[in-house]
Amino acid sequence: PVAIALLLTALLYPMTRSLREAGMRPIYATWLTMIAALAVLAGTGWLVGARATEEFPNLVKQVEATISDVQEWLVTGPLHVQQTQITQYFRELTTYIQDQRTAITGTVLSAGAVAVEVLASIVLVLFVTFFLLKDGDRIWSWFLKGFGGVAPRVDRAGRAAWTTLSNYVQGSVLVAAVHGVIMGIVLAGMGVPLWAPLAVLIFLASFIPIVGIFFAGTVATLVTLGA
C-alpha cells in the first residue's frame, strides 16, 4: 500500500502543486486533488458497470450463436467431426465444471477474506497518499534529519529519484490512456459488446510491459469474434 501510495502521489502531485501555487491552502489543495481522483475512478466504474449490465446478456446470446455456428462448421466443414464427438466433449466439460463446483465455492469463500484485506489496503493507500500530498515536503525534511552530514547529498539524490519516478508514472499513465481510449473508440465503432470494460482492461493491462497489452488484446479479440 505504501508503494502504491508513492506512485499515486507522483501522479497526482502536479495538480496539488498547481493549486498551491495558485494560492490555495495545502489542506484544500490536497482534498480537491483527492476528490477529483476519486470522481474519475467513480465515473469510470459507473460507465463500466452500466455498459456491462446493459450489454452482457446480449453478449451471452451472441456467444451462444457463435458456438452453434462453430459446431456446425466442425460437422459440415473440412474437419468432418462427428456430432456425437462434439456432444461428448461438451458433456465432459459440463461434468468437469459440476465436479469443480465445491472447489469454486471454497475459493469464493476464501476470496471474501482476501476482499477484506484488499479493502483495508485501499484505505491505507488513501490515507498515506493524502498525507504525502499534503505534507510530503515536511515528511522528507524530517526523513533527512537521520542522515546527519550527508543529508544534502541524500536530498539531491532523493529529489532526482522523485523526478524520475514522477516522469515514469505520468508517462506510463499517458501511454495506457492512449491505448485504452483508441481501442475503446475502435471497439465502440465496430459495435463490440462490453467495449467500455474492455477499454478499461486495456488501460490497466498497459501498465504490465508487453504481456499485459497482449493479454488484454487477446480478450478484446475473443469478445469481438464471439460477437
Side-chain angles (χ1 to χ4, degrees), residues 9 12-38 129-135:
T9 302
L12 299 176
Y13 186 71
M15 179 178 178
T16 304
R17 182 179 58 203
S18 299
L19 293 174
R20 293 171 67 170
E21 291 176 351
M24 186 174 292
R25 293 180 57 186
I27 183 67
Y28 298 144
T30 303
W31 272 116
L32 188 58
T33 302
M34 295 291 292
I35 291 173
L38 292 175
T129 302
F130 179 88
F131 283 101
L132 287 178
L133 288 173
K134 178 180 177 293
D135 298 318

Side-chain angles (χ1 to χ4, degrees), residues 138-196:
R138 296 171 58 190
I139 294 173
W140 179 245
S141 299
W142 171 84
F143 178 76
L144 289 175
K145 292 180 181 179
F147 290 92
V150 298
R153 297 178 62 185
V154 176
D155 184 38
R156 291 194 299 271
R159 293 183 183 277
W162 179 253
T163 300
T164 302
L165 178 64
S166 298
N167 292 336
Y168 171 77
V169 172
Q170 294 165 17
S172 298
V173 171
L174 180 60
V175 171
V178 170
H179 286 165
V181 170
I182 290 180
M183 290 307 301
I185 294 174
V186 171
L187 293 173
M190 293 176 61
V192 177
L194 303 179
W195 62 266

Side-chain angles (χ1 to χ4, degrees), residues 95-161:
T95 303
Y96 174 79
I97 294 176
Q98 291 176 348
D99 292 341
Q100 297 300 316
R101 183 174 301 174
T102 303
I104 293 174
T105 303
T107 303
V108 170
L109 293 177
S110 61
V114 174
V116 175
E117 297 180 2
V118 171
L119 180 61
S121 299
I122 291 175
V123 173
L124 182 57
V125 165
L126 296 177
F127 181 83
V128 175
T129 302
F130 179 88
F131 283 101
L132 287 178
L133 288 173
K134 178 180 177 293
D135 298 318
D137 49 350
R138 296 171 58 190
I139 294 173
W140 179 245
S141 299
W142 171 84
F143 178 76
L144 289 175
K145 292 180 181 179
F147 290 92
V150 298
R153 297 178 62 185
V154 176
D155 184 38
R156 291 194 299 271
R159 293 183 183 277

Side-chain angles (χ1 to χ4, degrees), residues 21 23 36 75-76 82 88 103 117 134 151 158 164 182 199 202 204 209 212 227:
E21 291 176 351
V75 174
T76 61
Q82 297 296 324
Q88 179 64 25
E117 297 180 2
K134 178 180 177 293
T164 302
I182 290 180
I202 292 171
L204 296 175

